[in-house]
Amino acid sequence: MTVGPLPKRFEPRERPGDLGEPLVAPFNGLVVQAANYGGGYGKCVGVVGLTPQGELVCWQGRHLKDMTVKPGQIVWAGDPIGSIGNADGRYAGAHLHEQICVGEVPG
């Protein structure tokens, strides 16, 4: 389960998308989070893997319309993991809140 070079921390961002637009795994990894958290986050999916240097890499996507994975599931880059939604209501339109961290777990 490896990914290419990434910055140490990818600041959270809101990425616009279409409601229901398919969301795919960003890299090969293990699903460690797939739950509805409410409180503005809505449905969240988290995936962990390893960089070529052996460092932990974590990705988290929030505000999903639906999830097609479960914790403990292995995913490969490009596998469907859910679809884009708009859970927080503070952003105009469907979007994905995503974050990538290398060597740490996203908050």
Side-chain angles (χ1 to χ4, degrees):
M1 294 183 240
T2 60
V3 298
L6 293 169
K8 278 291 186 191
R9 184 171 183 84
F10 177 85
E11 290 304 317
R13 70 176 182 167
E14 305 292 337
R15 182 172 57 113
D18 295 321
L19 186 62
E21 178 183 330
L23 181 61
V24 299
F27 48 78
N28 301 341
L30 176 69
V31 177
V32 294
Q33 177 187 45
N36 188 347
Y37 287 94
Y41 291 129
K43 295 177 180 141
C44 303
V45 171
V47 177
V48 298
L50 295 174
T51 68
Q53 297 77 28
E55 290 184 283
L56 179 70
V57 61
C58 301
W59 174 90
Q60 185 181 61
R62 301 175 181 168
H63 313 316
L64 277 58
K65 180 177 183 230
D66 58 45
M67 301 170 289
T68 57
V69 294
K70 295 181 180 179
Q73 183 176 336
I74 301 289
V75 292
W76 302 101
D79 282 354
I81 59 174
S83 66
I84 293 178
N86 186 21
D88 70 357
R90 293 177 287 163
Y91 189 88
H95 67 287
L96 172 70
H97 174 102
E98 66 180 341
Q99 183 173 349
I100 295 177
C101 297
V102 178
E104 61 182 279
V105 177

